[in-house]
Amino acid sequence: VRYELYYWPSIQGRGEFVRLALEEAGADYVDVARRGKRGMAAMMKLLESKSLARPPYASPFLKAGKDIIGQTALILFYLGPRLGLAPRDEASRLWVHQLQLTITDLVVQIHDTHHPVSGWLYYEEQKPAAKRRSGARRTSGAIVYRNSSAISNACSAFPKRMKRFERKVPLLIALHGRVGQRPRIKAYLSSERRVPFSQWGIYRYFKELDG
Ligand SMILES: N[C@@H](CCC(=O)N[C@@H](CS)C(=O)NCC(=O)O)C(=O)O
């Protein structure tokens, strides 16, 4: 199967979790919307289609043969055994899925640090609430910091806070380093396939929120 990943081309965002899995497995895949205007049009066509029996809610979504699967955690649940990345026994597989769903919660929490009121308003229109929200951000994210993508992204959005937090979780930080050293991931991170960090993704850096 040649997998087709559909995600916004200019941000790592939620798509990155899927990209990392596909890259680690050396899977045959196309990052469709990053293939110029045509790729983007193909994604919009599927997102806006009224004739799909099982339409995806939002990007990212994956096309595998005739199947279209949305929701980041579900895409990974689907890919895990197929790419040989998930454990075989059910309890362990469910545990991995549970971790990924917790990461999904964390992603929303991080997003809400800069857009606590609405994703449709500018950050500048919700600054006071953003400040309160990021101060109140739960550190229960600890468990999901096992995830390599979450760590590097959190470091770029909250460099000061993460420096302090890192001291408390040395094993996690070491694991993050090891993931970055895995041959396929290492090659991917320095390739053009990797979308650079930006101020438009989920993890944005604002000095005033990194208190
Ligand atoms: N729960 C979904 C959330 C998907 C989502 O919100 N995707 C964002 C980009 S990261 C998006 O495309 N939003 C546009 C929209 O919701 O219309 C997941 O984890 O995949």
Side-chain angles (χ1 to χ4, degrees):
V1 182
R2 170 170 248 205
Y3 295 108
E4 289 180 13
L5 168 66
Y6 291 80
Y7 192 65
W8 306 108
S10 54
I11 59 171
Q12 291 180 16
R14 290 175 169 95
E16 198 62 14
F17 296 102
V18 184
R19 292 189 185 111
L20 284 167
L22 292 164
E23 291 284 344
E24 167 63 21
D28 182 12
Y29 82 101
V30 195
D31 201 338
V32 179
R34 295 199 73 208
R35 295 210 155 173
K37 273 190 192 156
R38 272 204 201 160
M40 191 64 191
M43 178 166 93
M44 295 319 290
K45 197 171 161 200
L46 285 171
L47 275 174
E48 289 160 7
S49 167
K50 300 250 187 304
S51 58
L52 287 176
R54 304 183 188 98
Y57 151 65
S59 302
F61 57 92
L62 184 82
K63 202 155 169 264
K66 283 187 184 154
D67 297 330
I68 296 184
I69 304 144
Q71 293 288 358
T72 312
L74 186 66
I75 297 170
L76 293 170
F77 189 67
Y78 171 85
L79 285 177
R82 285 172 173 80
L83 299 182
L85 297 177
R88 280 171 200 270
D89 68 292
E90 190 179 30
S92 307
R93 227 185 124 202
L94 288 177
W95 169 240
V96 171
H97 186 47
Q98 195 179 134
L99 286 175
Q100 190 58 47
L101 287 169
T102 310
I103 291 169
T104 302
D105 290 347
L106 179 78
V107 169
V108 175
Q109 286 183 29
I110 302 268
H111 171 271
D112 287 357
T113 59
H114 49 81
H115 281 78
V117 180
S118 161
W120 300 105
L121 295 173
Y122 288 112
Y123 165 66
E124 285 71 24
E125 296 175 272
Q126 43 194 322
K127 249 172 139 170
K131 191 127 204 215
R132 286 190 70 186
R133 185 70 185 80
S134 54
R137 196 166 53 97
R138 289 189 301 150
T139 45
S140 67
I143 194 159
V144 310
Y145 279 116
R146 283 162 207 256
N147 183 284
S148 155
S149 176
I151 291 215
S152 1
N153 282 298
C155 288
S156 67
F158 304 101
K160 248 164 78 183
R161 281 198 204 182
M162 279 302 287
K163 257 250 113 57
R164 285 200 299 270
F165 183 60
E166 272 176 35
R167 275 184 236 129
K168 297 186 189 165
V169 289
L171 294 179
L172 242 36
I173 298 301
L175 177 61
H176 167 251
R178 270 168 54 195
V179 170
Q181 288 307 312
R182 291 187 64 80
R184 284 178 176 147
I185 298 293
K186 197 174 172 185
Y188 164 64
L189 295 179
S190 58
S191 75
E192 285 189 352
R193 299 191 299 286
R194 167 81 161 184
V195 182
F197 285 110
S198 76
Q199 274 298 84
W200 305 110
I202 292 159
Y203 301 85
R204 306 187 196 185
Y205 173 67
F206 294 109
K207 193 163 184 276
E208 59 278 19
L209 300 184
D210 184 28

